[in-house]
Amino acid sequence: MTRRACLAAAASALLAVTAAAPASAQAPLAGADWPQFRGTPTLTGVTSATVPATLKVKWTFEAGDAVESSAAIAGGVVYVGSQKGELLALDLATGKPRWRYKTVEGIGESSPAVSTALGLVFVGDLSGTVHAVRVANGQAAWTFKTKGEVKSSPVVVADKVVIGSYDGSLYGLDAKSGTPAWSVHTENYVHGTPAIVDGVAYFAGCDEVFRSIRVSDGKDLGDLPVGAYTGASVAVANGKAYFGTFENEVLAVDLKARKVVWRYQPKERQFPFYSSAAIADGKVILGGRDKVVHAIDAASGKAVWTFATKARVESSAAVAGSRVYIGSNDGRFYVLDLATGKPVWEYESGSPMTTSPAIANGAVVIGTTDGTIICFGA
């Protein structure tokens, strides 16, 4: 695949190896909140929240344009962006809006990140602007302008907001002021969200390089060429990073050994992986543009199970208990058994779901490309 093809593929999706100690596994997110894309800075998509065995639609909200931004949930509030150019704060219990914040342009795939300590929610928009908004009233605290679209989601660690841009840079911004502490330039778009473990940010992008950057000062701790363009975000667990590529593979990188330890490629149908991985029960779970949800053994890279949908799967799975929650471009939301991949329940929305589920307080929230935000619960 050429670099030009990678850029086109990344645009159409809108419709690091270190010498430091190995990253450690992180316990599942506590059930009360899902404060950022994939739940925690490790981006593993796992929560300890209890989800009702039987789901129903609790409420829906019409955002007025496509929702490609995955929701964050914190303090009983759902935060989600839309292509209308709004960051919405919705009551988790009722779906009623608390406030709307207007962005410069539409919000694409950048998903909000909430810092309850600072009382701020962060998100990027397609003008390249990163916004910090006060959770209390929806008023701007600060903005920072990059030189390209922002589809990466912010990650808040200590006093920094770390986020990528289509100007080819990863930025470390002061969370209180928006002042750039550092930036690291790559050779192509930084589309995915960085995973952050033990003070190091791991990400891969369209320059075919897996990178590790120290969050405190932006120092490059080591790069690994992986031979493939990457639109997905990296998930990190037990000293390994997992991510899919546009070369139709899923990779596992050993962070201490600085090498790719396995590559998974389906034999039947070979299509890019755009979905980001969930890591649970020794499995790497992610969707493919081959219309299939794949569960891969995290140790060996061998297939454990697959589940076929009727369209591309660009939604990233969330895991709670023994179940996997994921959307598909076929307009359906699926609940699968984690051990076997067998379907437990599904809901047809009638519109593609490219966003990823957020799970908190017994509720599951996901958006659709027709602008509907859906909350499932008891």
Side-chain angles (χ1 to χ4, degrees):
M1 180 181 287
T2 65
R3 176 165 300 191
R4 182 176 305 227
C6 174
L7 304 188
S12 71
L14 189 58
L15 302 164
V17 185
T18 130
S24 57
Q26 180 161 325
L29 183 71
D33 290 329
W34 183 281
Q36 67 154 81
F37 181 62
R38 313 301 294 129
T40 67
T42 59
L43 308 188
T44 55
V46 180
T47 178
S48 63
T50 300
V51 178
T54 302
L55 292 176
K56 66 180 182 181
V57 176
K58 291 183 64 176
W59 53 260
T60 62
F61 181 86
E62 299 302 324
D65 207 335
V67 174
E68 296 173 331
S69 167
S70 300
I73 304 173
V77 180
V78 176
Y79 301 91
V80 64
S82 81
Q83 283 276 15
K84 187 179 179 180
E86 290 184 330
L87 175 64
L88 301 165
L90 308 175
D91 186 87
L92 177 60
T94 65
K96 296 185 181 302
R98 295 194 175 188
W99 49 254
R100 301 171 186 251
Y101 170 84
K102 185 67 178 174
T103 55
V104 180
E105 288 187 14
I107 298 173
E109 294 168 58
S110 184
S111 302
V114 184
S115 170
T116 53
L118 296 175
L120 298 174
V121 54
F122 307 91
V123 75
D125 72 18
L126 296 177
S127 77
T129 304
V130 181
H131 302 260
V133 182
R134 302 187 192 284
V135 299
N137 56 19
Q139 299 299 307
W142 55 257
T143 60
F144 172 78
K145 186 73 166 65
T146 75
K147 297 177 182 179
E149 297 177 331
V150 175
K151 299 181 184 179
S152 174
S153 300
V155 181
V156 185
V157 176
D159 61 345
K160 300 286 193 308
V161 176
V162 184
I163 192 168
S165 169
Y166 268 42
D167 65 11
S169 296
L170 183 76
Y171 291 92
L173 309 176
D174 181 272
K176 292 182 179 179
S177 67
T179 303
W182 51 260
S183 63
V184 174
H185 189 71
T186 74
E187 297 303 316
N188 216 317
Y189 297 163
V190 180
H191 178 91
T193 300
I196 301 179
V197 184
D198 297 337
V200 179
Y202 301 96
F203 67 103
C206 271
D207 62 356
E208 303 188 7
V209 178
F210 176 79
R211 301 176 186 273
S212 57
I213 305 296
R214 191 162 62 197
V215 172
S216 61
D217 58 7
K219 182 179 180 180
D220 190 331
L221 297 179
D223 302 336
L224 177 69
V226 293
Y229 305 118
T230 304
S233 301
V234 171
V236 176
N238 301 313
K240 293 185 177 64
Y242 304 91
F243 55 96
T245 76
F246 278 100
E247 289 296 330
N248 317 324
E249 294 180 322
V250 180
L251 276 59
V253 173
D254 186 297
L255 300 179
K256 184 177 181 180
R258 303 187 182 195
K259 67 178 183 180
V260 176
V261 293
W262 55 252
R263 295 175 183 264
Y264 168 85
Q265 188 175 73
K267 296 179 180 179
E268 299 287 328
R269 291 160 49 84
Q270 296 185 2
F271 286 83
F273 287 92
Y274 191 73
S275 166
S276 300
I279 314 297
D281 192 32
K283 300 178 183 67
V284 180
I285 303 140
L286 75 173
R289 288 186 170 173
D290 60 355
K291 308 180 183 181
V292 174
V293 181
H294 299 257
I296 308 161
D297 183 84
S300 68
K302 304 298 183 182
V304 178
W305 54 256
T306 58
F307 173 78
T309 76
K310 297 179 180 179
R312 291 178 173 183
V313 184
E314 297 181 342
S315 173
S316 301
V319 177
S322 62
R323 293 183 174 180
V324 176
Y325 301 83
I326 193 166
S328 170
N329 284 18
D330 66 10
R332 292 176 173 86
F333 178 71
Y334 294 95
V335 181
L336 310 176
D337 182 82
L338 175 60
T340 66
K342 294 185 181 301
V344 176
W345 184 80
E346 68 180 64
Y347 172 84
E348 185 168 0
S349 72
S351 179
M353 296 179 173
T354 61
T355 66
S356 305
I359 303 174
N361 281 334
V364 183
V365 179
I366 193 168
T368 72
T369 59
D370 73 355
T372 304
I373 300 164
I374 307 170
C375 178
F376 302 101

